[in-house]
Structures are given as structure tokens and as C-alpha cells.
Amino acid sequence: MKFLFSSLMLFTGILCFAQDSYQSIVLKNELTEHANAILRYEHVLIEIEDVDDMTITTKRVVTVLNKYGDDYVRAYDFYDDNDAKIKKQNALVLNKLGEEVKQFKQRDFKDQSAVGSSNLYSDNRVSYLNYSPADYPYTVIYESEVSMSTTVFIKAFQPINNYFLSVASSKYELKNPNHIPIRYVETNLDSIQVEKKVSDFELTYTFKNIPAYNYEPYSPKVANMAPMVKVALNDFSLMGVMGSASEWSTFGKWQFENLLKGRDELNTNTIAEVSELVKDAANDYEKAKMIYEYMQSKTRYISVQLGIGGWEPILASEVDRVGYGDCKGLTNYTKALLASQGIKSNYAVVYAGNEQKDIDPGFASMQGNHVILNISNIAEDDVWLECTSQSMPFNYLGDFTDNRHVLLIKEEGGEIVKTPQYTCQKNLEETFCKIELSEDSFTATVKRESKGISYGNNYHIQNQKEKDKNIYYKEILGNLPGIHINTLNFENNKDQVSFSEQLDFSGKKFHTTAGNRILLPLNFIQPEIDAVTRDEDRKYPIEILRGFTNRDQFDFKIPEAYTIEALPNAINIETDFGKFSFSVEVADDDPRLLQVKRSITINEGKWSPNQFSDFREFLNKINILSNQKAVLIKNG
């Protein structure tokens, strides 16, 4: 009865406060502009009672303006059986007038595993509000309290990490009565309204009235522009394992000693098998390649996340026995296989994902969500291995872990290095097309070779079902009507990291007829260039993470009854953003053969907002000038 009374008092207090303050019909224009949701109020209180005792209390009020804002409610918390426990969790939903719609107590929240279907087993779970709104706008008031013994992760203060969310008020408070040394770093606070009170051991920040970031084409991710405060303890605990570090060298050494050391032993039969495998290899590079492919052939990726196993790899001998592991286990296993043949490698912690998120070189803390392997001294450049893929080539990373800072965990200490960058010259697609035209149809053969990031984007096509392959190519060739694909052939050259496709297909005419003339579009395969609208009030920089080069040749065999009347002029454009060239010629040995050559290079880089009009003009010129036509006239 006492608990029931306390809960009723809590909800009554929230409701009265909500009815007075959280009507959605009185919102400020500066907060609704470009917003799908508004963070009306937030208070995150972190209390560090000891190196292995932390409590996080959250109060969060979000008004959702439309269906695109539902994800910003974020009424959830993570927990596990051994470390983090949810002590309190409730929510209240209000309508646009601030009136109660529904209450949720802790038992009403949904509970599920916090990891994906590739997990074999895990104790990481999430308790979340499962609510489908009947109307917009609506407001959710969420409260929770979570206690944990792990303090190596201190929640960062970043109320905005995506577009279309505005902030009325968000407060972050860290209390540390036992004065455990802390470190913190601020980014992007200059342009916002902020109140702060900081000392050697405690922090309080309040951000107010932050308008929503409105998406602009080719702009950086919001996380790189929005205000943020990161915090770490010098003395910490990870699932009961104590540590102390204030910079990357000592932090990496702690991880080696506590997470990796002694977990790389293999049985003698496996070592003998690998020794036999590589006995005729010419050098360590060739040995490493053979060992990597051996690992790929006998393992598969399945995640295991139990206790400190979320950060500590399972034993190499166990991966060898069962034939599976997560990124940590498979990387450590490959490391052990290499070490058995005298090849030293480094376990590397990384933020994986195509957005190129960095491990912060200037702020030592527990970071990253993935592990890869680094080998130095066996080639001119370092070798990098993605150990969770059964199909990826040796020394190829792709856009999952390219061009970002990572932490190498070595016996002597941690080291921040950068993974390879795939430049616009390396990200190459070359296409050669032979097209034979009639007055009402065409047949064509297309050959495409992909390298760099393009390789990683395309090589998986060969393993798709036939139906899906046909759908894929019909989408690529969507400008051509009535496509019927006759044959598909693929060649995956993993040694050269090159993927080749050949398509033979036919279709209906894609040209237009004007009297006795044919207007022939020379843009047989459209360039993958977005049409960009005008923006006179551009606010954010232009950013292209990965440049690319496309080289295309289209050989058109025109119908016998026609001759060429007019061709467009050759074009060559070069800018800071890239290059474009386009030419059309009649073959020297065949007056019915038109040869179209097009080359597009888009540079990787970052440019100021005031260059956007020039950038837009360059992209739009590529689309317009690629779409030029030849004029054919009927004989007689």
C-alpha cells in the first residue's frame, strides 16, 4: 500500500506539473522551426559514490510534433543481470493540451535483448516504452534510475545528435563526493546558450534554446557540429575489474593486461596444421594472407556478450574448437594464429559504421564498438583485417572501418593510429557498354569493374538470388524501358580487390523520333550524382567523406538506315570539388559507330558554406551535360 501511495503521489505531481507547463499549443516558433520533436526538459544526474558505484537518474520530457519525431522520445534504459540494474522507471503521456493520456509503471515497459539476432547469448537487455500515438502532437515524461558498478563509461552530455530535434532546456550534473579525479572535454559550445559550473571533481552544464539542425545536402553529421561534453574517471571499474589511466598509453596497457593477456593460446594440433599450411609461403605477407583465409574458412560470426565478455574476447582455443566468435573473439583468434607463425599483430578498437566516427585521439576513455586487426612490418603499409567476414579480401576494410582513428592495444601500451583512406582515385568504377540500336529496340552488353569502396558495395551482388539480381539491375538501368536481362556473369578477383560484372540485355527504344530524325540520349547509364536544389541561406559546411571516380564508355551502333547529323561538343570541367569530361566521336573505321566517353571524379573533402552555389553548379552541370543527345537522320 505504501508503494502504491508513493506511485500515485509521483504521477499526481508529474501530472500537475505537466498540465501547467507542457501544452503543445504554446510552443515557441524558434523551437518548432525545422523540428520533428522538442526536448522540453531534461536532467541527467550522475552520482559517483565510488570507483565501482554509480547511479544515473534521468528526467526527460519530449514533445513529438509528427510521426518523424517518435524516435526522439528515447524512453528506455539498458541493464544486465551482473552490473546495471534499473531501480525506477515510469512514463506519462500527455496530449497537446497537457492532459494525461496514459501512465506507464515499470512493469508496463517492454523488455528484450539489447543485441541483434547474430548473438548466441547475451545478458545485455533494454527496458523500453512501447507506445503508439493516436494523435500528434503528444508529450512523454520519462523518469528512470539506474545503478551500476561499471564506471569506465560515463554518459556524455549531448542532447542533440541528429537533425530535426530542438532543445528548450537540458541539464547535466555530475556529483562526485569522494573526489575521484575526473577529466572532461567540451566541444562546440561557443554558439549556444550554456550555463556551467565546473570544479576539479564535479560538473554542471545547462544548455538552453537550441534550435533544431535542419538537414542540408552534403552536410556533416550533427554529432560533429552539436555541443557535447565528454567525461571520464581516472580511476574506474569495468564489471568489477579495477583500472587507472589518464592517457591512451596507460589505458591501452590496462586493456591489454586485463582483457587480452593470456587469451591467445592454441592447441598444438592447430599450430601444426597452420605451420604445414604456410610452409612454402614466400614471405610473411603471403603467410598472413593464407592464415586469414584459413580463419575465414573455418569460423563464422556469432556475438557473445556475457559480463566482461562484452569487452574481453573468448579464448582463442575456444574459438578454434567451436568455430565461431564475435569480433573480439575472431580478431584475437586470428592474432593467435599469426603469432604461432612468428607474425606480430595488434588488436585494434574502432567505431565501425559508414559515417567514419573517430576514437577521440585527445581523450582517453572506453570508446569504440568493434574490433579489427592490424599488422605492421610485413608490407610497405600496414595491413588491416576485418575478421568477422567470411568473404572479404585480405587487407581490405571497405566503408565499415575506413579512414578513422583507432586504438591499437599493445603489450607496451595503447597507440592511436588511423585506418587507410580510400581516395577518389582508389574508389573506381569503369564501365564499358556496347549498344546496338534499331528503330524500336536495342541490345546491349555492359561490363563494369569496381575497386576501392565500390568493390565493397558491389561484390555481394553475385550471391543474391536471381530474382533480386534482376531487380537490382533494373533499378540501375531505370532510365531504359522494357529491360530484359539475358545473361549475368561475375568475376570476384580477391587478390586484386576487383569485382567485374557482365550483363547482356535488351530493351525497347529509349530515343525519341522527330520526323525522319532520331534524338539519341548519350547518357546510357545515368551518373550517380544527386540533383541539388538552390540554397541561398546555407549554414553548414559541405562534406564528402569518400570521393570516387567513374569512367564510362558507351559505344552506340546506329541503325543502317541512318547517318549522324549532329554531335555535341566535347566538354572538360575542373573544379575544387572534382572533374568532369565528356566527348563523342565517330569511330575511324566505322561511320555507324558512336563512341561516347565520360569521366567523373568527385573529390573527398570539406568546404565552407559560401562555396555551396559553386558546388551545386558543378553537380548539376554533370547531370545536364551527361544528358546530351546526338541527332541521327534517316537516309533518303
Side-chain angles (χ1 to χ4, degrees), residues 541-577:
I542 306 156
E543 184 175 66
I544 297 178
L545 293 177
R546 301 175 185 88
F548 63 87
T549 298
N550 287 354
R551 297 193 191 114
D552 305 311
Q553 180 169 335
F554 310 135
D555 283 5
F556 293 95
K557 187 80 168 184
I558 69 173
E560 286 189 12
Y562 287 80
T563 55
I564 299 164
E565 183 180 51
L567 299 177
N569 295 326
I571 300 157
N572 192 12
I573 300 172
E574 189 164 350
T575 73
D576 290 341
F577 314 108

Side-chain angles (χ1 to χ4, degrees), residues 227-339:
M228 178 169 62
V229 180
K230 289 187 286 191
V231 185
L233 299 179
N234 284 354
D235 301 311
F236 51 81
S237 167
L238 173 61
M239 302 294 293
V241 179
M242 301 301 177
S244 180
S246 59
E247 38 76 35
W248 282 120
S249 178
T250 54
F251 195 71
K253 186 172 180 61
W254 173 83
Q255 291 192 51
F256 179 87
E257 293 290 334
N258 291 279
L259 302 180
L260 297 184
K261 189 175 181 179
R263 307 193 69 78
D264 58 352
E265 294 182 3
L266 295 168
N267 66 58
T268 54
N269 289 339
T270 297
I271 294 174
E273 183 179 353
V274 174
S275 298
E276 179 67 20
L277 174 71
V278 303
K279 67 179 182 180
D280 296 325
N283 50 49
D284 282 350
Y285 185 91
E286 189 175 324
K287 283 183 183 179
K289 182 175 181 294
M290 296 170 74
I291 290 171
Y292 177 69
E293 291 171 350
Y294 168 84
M295 180 277 300
Q296 287 180 304
S297 70
K298 65 175 295 182
T299 63
R300 68 189 190 280
Y301 174 82
I302 296 180
S303 184
V304 178
Q305 305 281 342
L306 284 180
I308 199 170
W311 299 94
E312 177 186 68
I314 61 176
L315 295 171
S317 57
E318 183 67 5
V319 176
D320 188 57
R321 183 183 70 83
V322 299
Y324 61 75
D326 59 13
C327 64
K328 303 177 298 297
L330 294 173
T331 299
N332 182 61
Y333 176 55
T334 309
K335 184 176 184 294
L337 292 172
L338 291 166

Side-chain angles (χ1 to χ4, degrees), residues 357-477:
K357 183 177 180 179
D358 274 317
I359 298 283
D360 187 343
F363 191 71
S365 62
M366 203 68 164
Q367 300 180 42
N369 61 6
H370 187 56
V371 176
I372 54 179
L373 196 64
N374 163 268
I375 313 174
S376 57
N377 302 320
I378 64 170
E380 183 177 350
D381 298 316
D382 282 8
V383 169
W384 295 88
L385 304 179
E386 172 56 68
C387 299
T388 62
S389 171
Q390 294 172 284
S391 61
M392 197 169 282
F394 177 76
N395 199 20
Y396 177 78
L397 292 181
D399 62 8
F400 196 51
T401 52
D402 68 315
N403 193 31
R404 64 201 75 187
H405 287 100
V406 303
L407 171 65
L408 300 186
I409 299 179
K410 303 180 178 181
E411 184 174 3
E412 60 271 24
E415 180 185 356
I416 298 292
V417 301
K418 204 165 188 180
T419 56
Q421 179 182 18
Y422 296 91
T423 62
C424 58
Q425 290 80 19
K426 293 179 180 178
N427 299 331
L428 176 64
E429 282 188 11
E430 293 185 293
T431 306
F432 179 75
C433 306
K434 293 177 67 176
I435 309 108
E436 186 156 349
L437 303 169
S438 70
E439 292 193 11
D440 57 4
S441 65
F442 73 91
T443 59
T445 296
V446 174
K447 297 178 181 179
R448 179 172 70 170
E449 184 178 13
S450 303
K451 297 179 180 179
I453 295 298
S454 295
Y455 170 89
N457 292 339
N458 293 333
Y459 83 92
H460 61 88
I461 297 166
Q462 63 185 329
N463 298 320
Q464 293 183 0
K465 296 178 181 178
E466 290 303 311
K467 177 182 176 182
D468 294 330
K469 290 176 185 176
N470 276 272
I471 292 172
Y472 171 80
Y473 285 111
K474 286 181 179 180
E475 287 179 353
I476 289 179
L477 303 169

Side-chain angles (χ1 to χ4, degrees), residues 520-535:
L520 176 65
L522 301 175
N523 186 19
F524 188 68
I525 295 179
Q526 294 179 326
E528 296 180 4
I529 302 294
D530 296 330
V532 182
T533 57
R534 190 180 303 276
D535 187 356

Side-chain angles (χ1 to χ4, degrees), residues 27-68:
L27 294 167
K28 297 178 181 178
N29 289 338
E30 59 266 30
L31 293 178
T32 58
E33 186 177 15
H34 307 309
N36 293 328
I38 303 171
L39 181 57
R40 307 286 292 276
Y41 173 82
E42 182 180 48
H43 183 196
V44 177
L45 172 61
I46 300 174
E47 297 173 283
I48 312 291
E49 297 296 338
D50 208 335
V51 172
D52 59 353
D53 186 1
M54 177 171 68
T55 300
I56 301 174
T57 304
T58 301
K59 297 180 180 179
R60 179 179 172 88
V61 183
V62 177
T63 294
V64 179
L65 302 178
N66 54 55
K67 65 180 181 179
Y68 303 107

